[in-house]
C-alpha cells in the first residue's frame, strides 16, 4: 500500500530534502508551501528527478489556509498518512530585543502551525487507524540541552509540549514524535553548519515511516532519544 506524506515548508531546506527522501522511499508526497511559485518549482524539481510529488498551497500561520488545504486534499481523495511539521522561522534576538511581532510569528509558525495541522489531519488518521506525525523541533527548545534564542526557544518548547499532548490523545497505530535535525546548512542554520540536509532528514524519515512497534511521544536526534 502506497502511503502519502505531507511536508510543511517543503519548498527548501530540510523540508525539500524530506520530500525527496520520503518520495524516494516510495511514498506519495504532498509538498506543502505557502508561496505557490516557489512550491510548484520545488515540486517540479523533484518530479524531474522521477519522484511522485505534488504541490499544495499551505501557510501554517493562517488557519483558513490549513483548513482549505485539508479540504482540497479530502475532496481529491488524498489521505495524509504521515504529517511532517517542518515549516519554521528562527528569530535570533534576545528576550529584551526581540519584537513582539517576531515573537508572535515564532509562535504562529512553530507552535500554532503544527497545532492547526494536527487538528486538520490527525482525526482522520485516528479514523483510519494509521498515522505518523513528525514535529521538527530543535535542541534549542530543550531544557536539557540548553535553550536557544528567546522566541524560538519558547516556540519549540511549546511544540515539544504539543507533541506530548497529541501523542497522549492518539490510539491505534498512530505515532506522534518530535525530532531535532541537528545544526544544518540551510537559511536557518547558515552556511557554516556542520550537517547536510541529507543527514538532517534521516531521523525525520525514520519517524515518518516507523513500524507499528515504534515509539510514540518521544524526542529524537540521530534516531536516539534526547532530553526535553
Ligand atoms: P529554512 O531553509 O529557512 O526553511 C524554512 C521553511 O519554513 C521554508 O520552506 C519556509 O517557506 C517555511 N515557512 C516559514 N514560514 C511558513 C509559513 N507560515 N507557512 C508555511 N511555511 C513556512 O530552514 P530549515 O533549516 O530547513 O528549517 C526547517 C525546520 O528545521 C524548522 O522547523 C527549524 O526550526 C528546524 N531546525 C533547523 C535547524 C538548522 O540548523 N537548520 C536546527 C534545528 C531545527 P518560505 O520559503 O516560503 O519562507
Amino acid at each position: 500500500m502506497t502511503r502519502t506524506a505531507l511536508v510543511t515548508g517543503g519548498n527548501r531546506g530540510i523540508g525539500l530534502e524530506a520530500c525527496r527522501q520520503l518520495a524516494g522511499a516510495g511514498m506519495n508526497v504532498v509538498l506543502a508551501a505557502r508561496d505557490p511559485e516557489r512550491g510548484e518549482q520545488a515540486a517540479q524539481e523533484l518530479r524531474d528527478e522521477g519522484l511522485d510529488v505534488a504541490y499544495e498551497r499551505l501557510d501554517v500561520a493562517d488557519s483558513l489556509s490549513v483548513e482549505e488545504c485539508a479540504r482540497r486534499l479530502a475532496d481529491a481523495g488524498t489521505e495524509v498518512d504521515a504529517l511532517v511539521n517542518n515549516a519554521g522561522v528562527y528569530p535570533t534576538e534576545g528576550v529584551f530585543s526581540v519584537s513582539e511581532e517576531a515573537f508572535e510569528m515564532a509562535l504562529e509558525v512553530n507552535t500554532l502551525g503544527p497545532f492547526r495541522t494536527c487538528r486538520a489531519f490527525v482525526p482522520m488518521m485516528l479514523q483510519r487507524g494509521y498515522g505518523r506525525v513528525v514535529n521538527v523541533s530543535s535542541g534549542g527548545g530543550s531544557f536539557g540541552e540548553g535553550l536557544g534564542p528567546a522566541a524560538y526557544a519558547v516556540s519549540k518548547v511549546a511544540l515539544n509540549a504539543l507533541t506530548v499532548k497529541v501523542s497522549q490523545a492518539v490510539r491505534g497505530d498512530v505515532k506522534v514524535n518530535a525530532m531535532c535535525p541537528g545544526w544544518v546548512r540551510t537559511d536557518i542554520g547558515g552556511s557554516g553548519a556542520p550537517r547536510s540536509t541529507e543527514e538532517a532528514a534521516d531521523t525525520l524519515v525514520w519517524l515518518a515511516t516507523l513500524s507499528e512497534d515504534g515509539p510514540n511521544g518521544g524526542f529524537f536526534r540521530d534516531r536516539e532519544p534526547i532530553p526535553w
Side-chain angles (χ1 to χ4, degrees):
M1 175 186 187
T2 304
R3 302 272 187 201
T4 298
L6 182 147
V7 181
T8 71
N11 57 299
R12 62 186 166 98
I14 296 165
L16 177 61
E17 180 58 25
C19 289
R20 179 179 283 115
Q21 291 191 18
L22 290 165
M27 296 182 89
N28 296 326
V29 170
V30 177
L31 183 157
R34 59 180 163 177
D35 182 271
E37 203 171 316
R38 290 198 294 265
E40 187 47 63
Q41 198 176 348
Q44 188 59 51
E45 179 185 326
L46 297 184
R47 285 195 293 270
D48 289 345
E49 296 173 19
L51 299 169
D52 187 352
V53 178
Y55 165 70
E56 277 293 335
R57 183 174 187 282
L58 177 59
D59 180 345
V60 302
D62 176 355
S63 43
L64 190 62
S65 173
V66 177
E67 283 166 26
E68 286 176 354
C69 177
R71 196 173 313 122
R72 282 194 308 275
L73 290 170
D75 288 350
T78 303
E79 295 174 333
V80 174
D81 301 300
L83 167 65
V84 178
N85 285 311
N86 163 80
V89 291
Y90 182 59
T92 54
E93 298 86 354
V95 70
F96 298 125
S97 53
V98 66
S99 69
E100 202 170 316
E101 290 73 24
F103 206 119
E104 278 176 3
M105 189 48 75
L107 294 173
E108 279 290 346
V109 177
N110 298 353
T111 312
L112 289 172
F115 166 71
R116 295 181 181 112
T117 57
C118 282
R119 296 221 301 189
F121 295 108
V122 175
M124 289 180 280
M125 293 176 181
L126 292 173
Q127 272 176 24
R128 295 197 303 279
Y130 179 89
R132 300 287 179 264
V133 178
V134 184
N135 290 332
V136 181
S137 184
S138 169
S142 159
F143 286 104
E145 295 199 342
L147 300 171
Y152 186 70
V154 171
S155 70
K156 294 291 193 181
V157 166
L159 174 62
N160 288 348
L162 178 75
T163 304
V164 174
K165 293 316 298 177
V166 180
S167 75
Q168 290 170 344
V170 298
R171 59 190 181 278
D173 188 13
V174 180
K175 299 182 187 303
V176 183
N177 291 288
M179 54 84 65
C180 169
W183 182 20
V184 188
R185 287 186 295 280
T186 63
D187 283 4
I188 282 181
S191 56
R195 286 194 170 200
S196 65
T197 53
E198 288 83 351
E199 292 167 302
D202 173 74
T203 298
L204 183 162
V205 172
W206 170 65
L207 290 171
T209 56
L210 284 173
S211 57
E212 194 166 0
D213 59 357
N216 179 41
F219 187 19
F220 298 91
R221 183 190 298 116
D222 295 332
R223 303 191 183 204
E224 297 293 333
I226 58 172
W228 295 106

Short mmCIF file of all heavy atoms in Angstrom, two decimals, residues 6-10 12-16 18-19 22 83-89 106 109-111 113-114 117-118 133-141 152 155-160 162-163 176-184 186 188 197 200-205 207-208 218-220 226 228:
data_model
loop_
_atom_site.label_atom_id
_atom_site.label_comp_id
_atom_site.label_asym_id
_atom_site.label_seq_id
_atom_site.Cartn_x
_atom_site.Cartn_y
_atom_site.Cartn_z
N LEU A 6 2.64 14.44 3.90
CA LEU A 6 2.56 15.88 3.65
C LEU A 6 3.65 16.56 4.47
O LEU A 6 3.76 16.32 5.68
CB LEU A 6 1.18 16.42 4.04
CG LEU A 6 0.96 17.92 3.77
CD1 LEU A 6 -0.50 18.19 3.39
CD2 LEU A 6 1.33 18.79 4.97
N VAL A 7 4.44 17.40 3.80
CA VAL A 7 5.55 18.10 4.46
C VAL A 7 5.29 19.60 4.38
O VAL A 7 5.17 20.16 3.28
CB VAL A 7 6.89 17.76 3.77
CG1 VAL A 7 8.05 18.48 4.47
CG2 VAL A 7 7.14 16.25 3.75
N THR A 8 5.21 20.26 5.54
CA THR A 8 5.03 21.71 5.52
C THR A 8 6.39 22.39 5.32
O THR A 8 7.42 21.85 5.74
CB THR A 8 4.37 22.23 6.82
OG1 THR A 8 5.30 22.11 7.90
CG2 THR A 8 3.10 21.45 7.15
N GLY A 9 6.37 23.55 4.69
CA GLY A 9 7.65 24.22 4.39
C GLY A 9 8.52 23.33 3.53
O GLY A 9 9.74 23.26 3.72
N GLY A 10 7.89 22.67 2.55
CA GLY A 10 8.60 21.68 1.74
C GLY A 10 9.39 22.26 0.58
O GLY A 10 10.04 21.52 -0.15
N ARG A 12 12.04 24.28 0.50
CA ARG A 12 13.50 24.47 0.58
C ARG A 12 14.03 23.84 1.86
O ARG A 12 13.25 23.41 2.72
CB ARG A 12 13.89 25.95 0.49
CG ARG A 12 13.35 26.82 1.60
CD ARG A 12 13.68 28.30 1.31
NE ARG A 12 12.92 29.21 2.15
CZ ARG A 12 13.38 29.79 3.25
NH1 ARG A 12 14.61 29.55 3.65
NH2 ARG A 12 12.63 30.62 3.94
N GLY A 13 15.34 23.82 1.99
CA GLY A 13 15.98 23.38 3.23
C GLY A 13 15.65 21.93 3.57
O GLY A 13 15.57 21.05 2.71
N ILE A 14 15.48 21.68 4.87
CA ILE A 14 15.24 20.32 5.36
C ILE A 14 13.93 19.77 4.80
O ILE A 14 13.83 18.59 4.46
CB ILE A 14 15.23 20.33 6.91
CG1 ILE A 14 16.61 20.73 7.44
CG2 ILE A 14 14.82 18.96 7.45
CD1 ILE A 14 16.63 21.11 8.92
N GLY A 15 12.93 20.64 4.65
CA GLY A 15 11.63 20.20 4.14
C GLY A 15 11.72 19.65 2.72
O GLY A 15 11.13 18.60 2.40
N LEU A 16 12.47 20.34 1.87
CA LEU A 16 12.63 19.88 0.48
C LEU A 16 13.34 18.52 0.46
O LEU A 16 12.93 17.60 -0.26
CB LEU A 16 13.42 20.92 -0.32
CG LEU A 16 13.74 20.55 -1.77
CD1 LEU A 16 12.48 20.33 -2.60
CD2 LEU A 16 14.62 21.62 -2.43
N ALA A 18 13.40 16.36 2.86
CA ALA A 18 12.47 15.37 3.43
C ALA A 18 11.52 14.88 2.34
O ALA A 18 11.25 13.67 2.23
CB ALA A 18 11.69 15.98 4.59
N CYS A 19 11.01 15.81 1.52
CA CYS A 19 10.12 15.41 0.40
C CYS A 19 10.87 14.45 -0.53
O CYS A 19 10.32 13.42 -0.95
CB CYS A 19 9.68 16.64 -0.39
SG CYS A 19 8.53 17.69 0.49
N LEU A 22 11.36 11.00 1.32
CA LEU A 22 10.10 10.28 1.52
C LEU A 22 9.59 9.73 0.19
O LEU A 22 9.12 8.59 0.10
CB LEU A 22 9.05 11.19 2.17
CG LEU A 22 9.34 11.55 3.64
CD1 LEU A 22 8.48 12.73 4.10
CD2 LEU A 22 9.12 10.35 4.54
N LEU A 83 2.30 13.17 8.53
CA LEU A 83 2.31 14.64 8.56
C LEU A 83 3.66 15.08 9.12
O LEU A 83 4.00 14.71 10.25
CB LEU A 83 1.17 15.14 9.46
CG LEU A 83 1.20 16.61 9.85
CD1 LEU A 83 1.02 17.52 8.63
CD2 LEU A 83 0.10 16.90 10.90
N VAL A 84 4.39 15.86 8.33
CA VAL A 84 5.69 16.36 8.79
C VAL A 84 5.58 17.87 9.00
O VAL A 84 5.48 18.63 8.04
CB VAL A 84 6.81 16.02 7.78
CG1 VAL A 84 8.14 16.59 8.28
CG2 VAL A 84 6.91 14.52 7.57
N ASN A 85 5.58 18.27 10.26
CA ASN A 85 5.51 19.69 10.60
C ASN A 85 6.92 20.25 10.63
O ASN A 85 7.59 20.24 11.66
CB ASN A 85 4.82 19.86 11.96
CG ASN A 85 3.33 19.63 11.87
OD1 ASN A 85 2.66 20.20 10.99
ND2 ASN A 85 2.79 18.80 12.74
N ASN A 86 7.33 20.72 9.45
CA ASN A 86 8.72 21.18 9.28
C ASN A 86 8.84 22.70 9.19
O ASN A 86 9.87 23.25 9.57
CB ASN A 86 9.28 20.54 8.00
CG ASN A 86 10.52 21.24 7.51
OD1 ASN A 86 11.61 21.03 8.03
ND2 ASN A 86 10.36 22.11 6.51
N ALA A 87 7.80 23.39 8.69
CA ALA A 87 7.89 24.84 8.48
C ALA A 87 8.33 25.52 9.77
O ALA A 87 7.84 25.20 10.85
CB ALA A 87 6.53 25.39 8.05
N GLY A 88 9.26 26.44 9.64
CA GLY A 88 9.74 27.11 10.85
C GLY A 88 10.35 28.46 10.55
O GLY A 88 10.79 28.74 9.42
N VAL A 89 10.33 29.33 11.56
CA VAL A 89 11.05 30.60 11.50
C VAL A 89 11.98 30.66 12.71
O VAL A 89 11.76 29.98 13.71
CB VAL A 89 10.09 31.82 11.49
CG1 VAL A 89 9.30 31.87 10.19
CG2 VAL A 89 9.14 31.80 12.70
N ALA A 106 6.92 33.58 15.63
CA ALA A 106 7.53 32.31 16.03
C ALA A 106 6.46 31.36 16.58
O ALA A 106 6.43 30.17 16.24
CB ALA A 106 8.63 32.54 17.06
N VAL A 109 4.02 30.23 13.61
CA VAL A 109 4.55 29.26 12.64
C VAL A 109 5.01 27.99 13.35
O VAL A 109 4.65 26.87 12.96
CB VAL A 109 5.71 29.87 11.82
CG1 VAL A 109 6.31 28.83 10.88
CG2 VAL A 109 5.24 31.10 11.05
N ASN A 110 5.82 28.15 14.41
CA ASN A 110 6.49 26.98 15.00
C ASN A 110 5.60 26.19 15.95
O ASN A 110 5.82 25.00 16.14
CB ASN A 110 7.74 27.43 15.78
CG ASN A 110 8.78 28.10 14.89
OD1 ASN A 110 8.63 28.12 13.67
ND2 ASN A 110 9.80 28.67 15.48
N THR A 111 4.61 26.86 16.55
CA THR A 111 3.77 26.17 17.55
C THR A 111 2.33 26.01 17.05
O THR A 111 1.80 24.90 16.97
CB THR A 111 3.75 26.94 18.88
OG1 THR A 111 5.10 27.28 19.24
CG2 THR A 111 3.13 26.11 19.98
N GLY A 113 1.17 26.53 14.09
CA GLY A 113 1.12 25.85 12.78
C GLY A 113 0.91 24.35 12.96
O GLY A 113 -0.06 23.78 12.46
N PRO A 114 1.81 23.67 13.70
CA PRO A 114 1.61 22.23 13.96
C PRO A 114 0.32 21.92 14.71
O PRO A 114 -0.31 20.89 14.47
CB PRO A 114 2.85 21.86 14.80
CG PRO A 114 3.89 22.83 14.36
CD PRO A 114 3.16 24.12 14.12
N THR A 117 -2.28 21.98 11.93
CA THR A 117 -2.21 20.84 11.00
C THR A 117 -2.56 19.53 11.72
O THR A 117 -3.20 18.67 11.12
CB THR A 117 -0.82 20.73 10.34
OG1 THR A 117 0.17 20.63 11.37
CG2 THR A 117 -0.53 21.92 9.45
N CYS A 118 -2.16 19.41 12.99
CA CYS A 118 -2.55 18.19 13.73
C CYS A 118 -4.06 18.11 13.83
O CYS A 118 -4.65 17.04 13.65
CB CYS A 118 -1.92 18.19 15.13
SG CYS A 118 -0.19 17.71 15.13
N VAL A 133 3.09 11.37 12.81
CA VAL A 133 3.31 12.82 12.85
C VAL A 133 4.75 13.05 13.30
O VAL A 133 5.20 12.45 14.30
CB VAL A 133 2.34 13.52 13.84
CG1 VAL A 133 2.63 15.01 13.90
CG2 VAL A 133 0.89 13.27 13.42
N VAL A 134 5.45 13.88 12.55
CA VAL A 134 6.82 14.25 12.91
C VAL A 134 6.87 15.76 13.09
O VAL A 134 6.63 16.51 12.14
CB VAL A 134 7.82 13.83 11.80
CG1 VAL A 134 9.25 14.13 12.26
CG2 VAL A 134 7.65 12.37 11.43
N ASN A 135 7.14 16.19 14.30
CA ASN A 135 7.29 17.61 14.57
C ASN A 135 8.77 17.96 14.56
O ASN A 135 9.54 17.46 15.39
CB ASN A 135 6.66 17.96 15.92
CG ASN A 135 5.14 17.86 15.87
OD1 ASN A 135 4.54 18.06 14.81
ND2 ASN A 135 4.51 17.57 16.99
N VAL A 136 9.15 18.79 13.61
CA VAL A 136 10.57 19.18 13.51
C VAL A 136 10.82 20.27 14.55
O VAL A 136 10.44 21.42 14.37
CB VAL A 136 10.94 19.63 12.09
CG1 VAL A 136 12.42 19.99 12.04
CG2 VAL A 136 10.61 18.53 11.08
N SER A 137 11.41 19.86 15.64
CA SER A 137 11.68 20.77 16.74
C SER A 137 13.17 21.11 16.73
O SER A 137 13.78 21.18 15.65
CB SER A 137 11.24 20.09 18.05
OG SER A 137 11.41 20.98 19.13
N SER A 138 13.75 21.30 17.90
CA SER A 138 15.15 21.73 17.97
C SER A 138 15.69 21.49 19.36
O SER A 138 14.94 21.60 20.35
CB SER A 138 15.21 23.23 17.63
OG SER A 138 16.49 23.74 17.93
N GLY A 139 16.99 21.25 19.44
CA GLY A 139 17.65 21.24 20.74
C GLY A 139 17.52 22.61 21.40
O GLY A 139 17.61 22.72 22.62
N GLY A 140 17.29 23.64 20.60
CA GLY A 140 17.05 24.99 21.12
C GLY A 140 15.74 25.10 21.88
O GLY A 140 15.46 26.12 22.51
N GLY A 141 14.92 24.06 21.82
CA GLY A 141 13.68 24.01 22.59
C GLY A 141 13.76 22.94 23.67
O GLY A 141 12.72 22.49 24.16
N TYR A 152 12.34 31.76 19.70
CA TYR A 152 12.49 30.43 19.07
C TYR A 152 12.40 29.34 20.14
O TYR A 152 11.67 28.36 19.98
CB TYR A 152 13.84 30.38 18.36
CG TYR A 152 14.09 29.12 17.54
CD1 TYR A 152 13.39 28.89 16.36
CD2 TYR A 152 15.04 28.19 17.94
CE1 TYR A 152 13.63 27.76 15.60
CE2 TYR A 152 15.30 27.06 17.18
CZ TYR A 152 14.59 26.85 16.01
OH TYR A 152 14.83 25.72 15.27
N SER A 155 8.89 28.90 21.44
CA SER A 155 8.01 28.27 20.44
C SER A 155 8.30 26.77 20.29
O SER A 155 7.39 25.98 20.08
CB SER A 155 8.14 28.98 19.09
OG SER A 155 9.41 28.72 18.50
N LYS A 156 9.57 26.39 20.42
CA LYS A 156 9.91 24.97 20.25
C LYS A 156 9.65 24.17 21.54
O LYS A 156 9.30 23.00 21.47
CB LYS A 156 11.36 24.82 19.78
CG LYS A 156 11.63 25.37 18.37
CD LYS A 156 10.96 24.56 17.26
CE LYS A 156 11.49 24.95 15.89
NZ LYS A 156 10.86 24.22 14.77
N VAL A 157 9.84 24.81 22.71
CA VAL A 157 9.43 24.15 23.96
C VAL A 157 7.94 23.84 23.88
O VAL A 157 7.48 22.74 24.23
CB VAL A 157 9.75 25.03 25.19
CG1 VAL A 157 9.02 24.52 26.43
CG2 VAL A 157 11.25 25.07 25.45
N ALA A 158 7.17 24.83 23.42
CA ALA A 158 5.72 24.64 23.31
C ALA A 158 5.40 23.57 22.26
O ALA A 158 4.45 22.79 22.44
CB ALA A 158 5.04 25.96 22.97
N LEU A 159 6.18 23.52 21.19
CA LEU A 159 5.97 22.46 20.18
C LEU A 159 6.23 21.09 20.81
O LEU A 159 5.51 20.12 20.54
CB LEU A 159 6.88 22.69 18.97
CG LEU A 159 6.88 21.58 17.91
CD1 LEU A 159 5.49 21.42 17.29
CD2 LEU A 159 7.91 21.88 16.82
N ASN A 160 7.26 21.01 21.65
CA ASN A 160 7.54 19.74 22.32
C ASN A 160 6.37 19.34 23.23
O ASN A 160 5.97 18.17 23.27
CB ASN A 160 8.84 19.84 23.13
CG ASN A 160 10.06 19.87 22.23
OD1 ASN A 160 9.96 19.61 21.04
ND2 ASN A 160 11.20 20.21 22.80
N LEU A 162 3.29 20.27 22.82
CA LEU A 162 2.20 19.88 21.92
C LEU A 162 2.38 18.43 21.44
O LEU A 162 1.42 17.66 21.36
CB LEU A 162 2.15 20.83 20.71
CG LEU A 162 1.08 20.51 19.67
CD1 LEU A 162 -0.30 20.90 20.17
CD2 LEU A 162 1.39 21.23 18.34
N THR A 163 3.64 18.09 21.16
CA THR A 163 3.94 16.72 20.71
C THR A 163 3.46 15.71 21.75
O THR A 163 2.80 14.71 21.42
CB THR A 163 5.46 16.55 20.50
OG1 THR A 163 5.91 17.54 19.57
CG2 THR A 163 5.80 15.16 19.98
N VAL A 176 3.19 9.93 17.25
CA VAL A 176 3.47 11.36 17.19
C VAL A 176 4.79 11.62 17.91
O VAL A 176 4.89 11.36 19.12
CB VAL A 176 2.33 12.15 17.88
CG1 VAL A 176 2.56 13.65 17.76
CG2 VAL A 176 0.97 11.76 17.29
N ASN A 177 5.77 12.10 17.19
CA ASN A 177 7.09 12.31 17.79
C ASN A 177 7.69 13.64 17.34
O ASN A 177 7.31 14.18 16.30
CB ASN A 177 8.04 11.17 17.37
CG ASN A 177 7.65 9.85 18.01
OD1 ASN A 177 7.83 9.64 19.20
ND2 ASN A 177 7.07 8.95 17.21
N ALA A 178 8.63 14.11 18.15
CA ALA A 178 9.39 15.31 17.80
C ALA A 178 10.83 14.91 17.51
O ALA A 178 11.31 13.88 18.00
CB ALA A 178 9.34 16.31 18.95
N MET A 179 11.51 15.73 16.73
CA MET A 179 12.92 15.44 16.45
C MET A 179 13.69 16.75 16.28
O MET A 179 13.11 17.80 15.98
CB MET A 179 13.09 14.55 15.21
CG MET A 179 12.46 15.00 13.93
SD MET A 179 13.40 16.18 12.94
CE MET A 179 14.84 15.23 12.47
N CYS A 180 14.99 16.65 16.51
CA CYS A 180 15.90 17.76 16.22
C CYS A 180 16.80 17.31 15.08
O CYS A 180 17.42 16.25 15.18
CB CYS A 180 16.74 18.11 17.44
SG CYS A 180 18.09 19.26 17.03
N PRO A 181 16.89 18.10 14.00
CA PRO A 181 17.72 17.68 12.87
C PRO A 181 19.21 17.92 13.08
O PRO A 181 20.01 17.53 12.23
CB PRO A 181 17.19 18.57 11.73
CG PRO A 181 16.68 19.80 12.40
CD PRO A 181 16.15 19.36 13.74
N GLY A 182 19.59 18.53 14.21
CA GLY A 182 20.98 18.96 14.38
C GLY A 182 21.16 20.34 13.77
O GLY A 182 20.18 20.99 13.39
N TRP A 183 22.40 20.79 13.69
CA TRP A 183 22.69 22.12 13.13
C TRP A 183 22.99 21.93 11.64
O TRP A 183 23.98 21.28 11.27
CB TRP A 183 23.87 22.74 13.90
CG TRP A 183 24.22 24.11 13.44
CD1 TRP A 183 23.44 24.99 12.75
CD2 TRP A 183 25.45 24.78 13.67
NE1 TRP A 183 24.10 26.16 12.53
CE2 TRP A 183 25.34 26.07 13.08
CE3 TRP A 183 26.64 24.43 14.31
CZ2 TRP A 183 26.38 26.99 13.11
CZ3 TRP A 183 27.68 25.35 14.33
CH2 TRP A 183 27.55 26.62 13.74
N VAL A 184 22.13 22.47 10.81
CA VAL A 184 22.07 22.08 9.40
C VAL A 184 22.29 23.28 8.46
O VAL A 184 21.77 24.38 8.73
CB VAL A 184 20.68 21.46 9.09
CG1 VAL A 184 20.67 20.86 7.69
CG2 VAL A 184 20.33 20.41 10.12
N THR A 186 21.23 25.41 6.11
CA THR A 186 20.04 25.94 5.43
C THR A 186 20.02 27.43 5.71
O THR A 186 20.93 27.95 6.37
CB THR A 186 18.75 25.32 6.04
OG1 THR A 186 18.68 25.73 7.41
CG2 THR A 186 18.72 23.81 5.94
N ILE A 188 18.15 28.83 7.86
CA ILE A 188 18.11 28.95 9.32
C ILE A 188 19.48 28.61 9.93
O ILE A 188 19.98 29.33 10.79
CB ILE A 188 17.01 28.03 9.92
CG1 ILE A 188 15.64 28.69 9.72
CG2 ILE A 188 17.26 27.74 11.41
CD1 ILE A 188 14.46 27.90 10.28
N THR A 197 21.50 18.70 4.62
CA THR A 197 20.06 18.42 4.73
C THR A 197 19.81 16.92 4.59
O THR A 197 18.85 16.40 5.17
CB THR A 197 19.26 19.20 3.67
OG1 THR A 197 19.81 18.92 2.37
CG2 THR A 197 19.28 20.70 3.93
N ALA A 200 20.21 15.56 7.93
CA ALA A 200 19.15 16.07 8.81
C ALA A 200 17.84 15.32 8.60
O ALA A 200 17.07 15.12 9.54
CB ALA A 200 18.94 17.56 8.54
N ALA A 201 17.57 14.92 7.36
CA ALA A 201 16.27 14.30 7.05
C ALA A 201 16.20 12.84 7.48
O ALA A 201 15.11 12.27 7.53
CB ALA A 201 15.98 14.44 5.55
N ASP A 202 17.33 12.25 7.81
CA ASP A 202 17.33 10.81 8.11
C ASP A 202 16.38 10.45 9.26
O ASP A 202 15.51 9.57 9.13
CB ASP A 202 18.75 10.34 8.45
CG ASP A 202 18.76 8.89 8.93
OD1 ASP A 202 18.58 7.99 8.10
OD2 ASP A 202 18.89 8.67 10.15
N THR A 203 16.52 11.13 10.40
CA THR A 203 15.67 10.81 11.57
C THR A 203 14.22 11.16 11.28
O THR A 203 13.29 10.45 11.71
CB THR A 203 16.19 11.55 12.82
OG1 THR A 203 17.52 11.07 13.07
CG2 THR A 203 15.33 11.30 14.04
N LEU A 204 14.02 12.23 10.52
CA LEU A 204 12.66 12.64 10.14
C LEU A 204 11.97 11.54 9.34
O LEU A 204 10.82 11.15 9.64
CB LEU A 204 12.80 13.94 9.33
CG LEU A 204 11.58 14.69 8.83
CD1 LEU A 204 11.96 16.11 8.48
CD2 LEU A 204 10.91 14.02 7.67
N VAL A 205 12.68 11.00 8.36
CA VAL A 205 12.10 9.95 7.51
C VAL A 205 11.86 8.67 8.33
O VAL A 205 10.83 8.01 8.19
CB VAL A 205 13.00 9.67 6.28
CG1 VAL A 205 12.53 8.46 5.51
CG2 VAL A 205 13.05 10.90 5.39
N LEU A 207 11.12 8.53 11.49
CA LEU A 207 9.91 8.72 12.31
C LEU A 207 8.64 8.72 11.46
O LEU A 207 7.58 8.28 11.91
CB LEU A 207 10.01 10.02 13.11
CG LEU A 207 11.04 10.03 14.24
CD1 LEU A 207 11.21 11.43 14.82
CD2 LEU A 207 10.65 9.05 15.35
N ALA A 208 8.74 9.20 10.23
CA ALA A 208 7.56 9.25 9.34
C ALA A 208 7.18 7.87 8.83
O ALA A 208 6.06 7.69 8.32
CB ALA A 208 7.83 10.19 8.17
N GLY A 218 7.99 10.67 21.73
CA GLY A 218 9.40 10.86 22.04
C GLY A 218 10.00 12.08 21.36
O GLY A 218 9.36 12.75 20.54
N PHE A 219 11.27 12.33 21.69
CA PHE A 219 12.03 13.46 21.13
C PHE A 219 13.40 12.88 20.74
O PHE A 219 14.09 12.31 21.61
CB PHE A 219 12.16 14.54 22.21
CG PHE A 219 12.77 15.86 21.77
CD1 PHE A 219 12.84 16.24 20.43
CD2 PHE A 219 13.26 16.75 22.72
CE1 PHE A 219 13.39 17.46 20.06
CE2 PHE A 219 13.81 17.97 22.36
CZ PHE A 219 13.88 18.32 21.02
N PHE A 220 13.74 12.99 19.47
CA PHE A 220 14.89 12.24 18.94
C PHE A 220 15.84 13.12 18.13
O PHE A 220 15.45 14.10 17.51
CB PHE A 220 14.39 11.12 18.00
CG PHE A 220 13.52 10.12 18.68
CD1 PHE A 220 12.13 10.29 18.72
CD2 PHE A 220 14.06 9.01 19.32
CE1 PHE A 220 11.31 9.37 19.37
CE2 PHE A 220 13.26 8.08 19.97
CZ PHE A 220 11.88 8.27 19.99
N ILE A 226 16.50 12.23 23.00
CA ILE A 226 17.23 13.35 23.60
C ILE A 226 16.34 13.96 24.68
O ILE A 226 15.12 13.76 24.68
CB ILE A 226 17.67 14.41 22.55
CG1 ILE A 226 16.47 14.99 21.79
CG2 ILE A 226 18.70 13.83 21.60
CD1 ILE A 226 16.83 16.18 20.90
N TRP A 228 14.03 16.43 26.91
CA TRP A 228 13.06 17.50 26.63
C TRP A 228 13.62 18.82 27.12
O TRP A 228 14.33 18.87 28.10
CB TRP A 228 11.74 17.24 27.34
CG TRP A 228 11.05 16.03 26.83
CD1 TRP A 228 10.94 14.83 27.45
CD2 TRP A 228 10.31 15.90 25.59
NE1 TRP A 228 10.20 13.97 26.67
CE2 TRP A 228 9.81 14.59 25.52
CE3 TRP A 228 10.06 16.78 24.52
CZ2 TRP A 228 9.05 14.12 24.45
CZ3 TRP A 228 9.31 16.32 23.46
CH2 TRP A 228 8.82 15.01 23.42
#
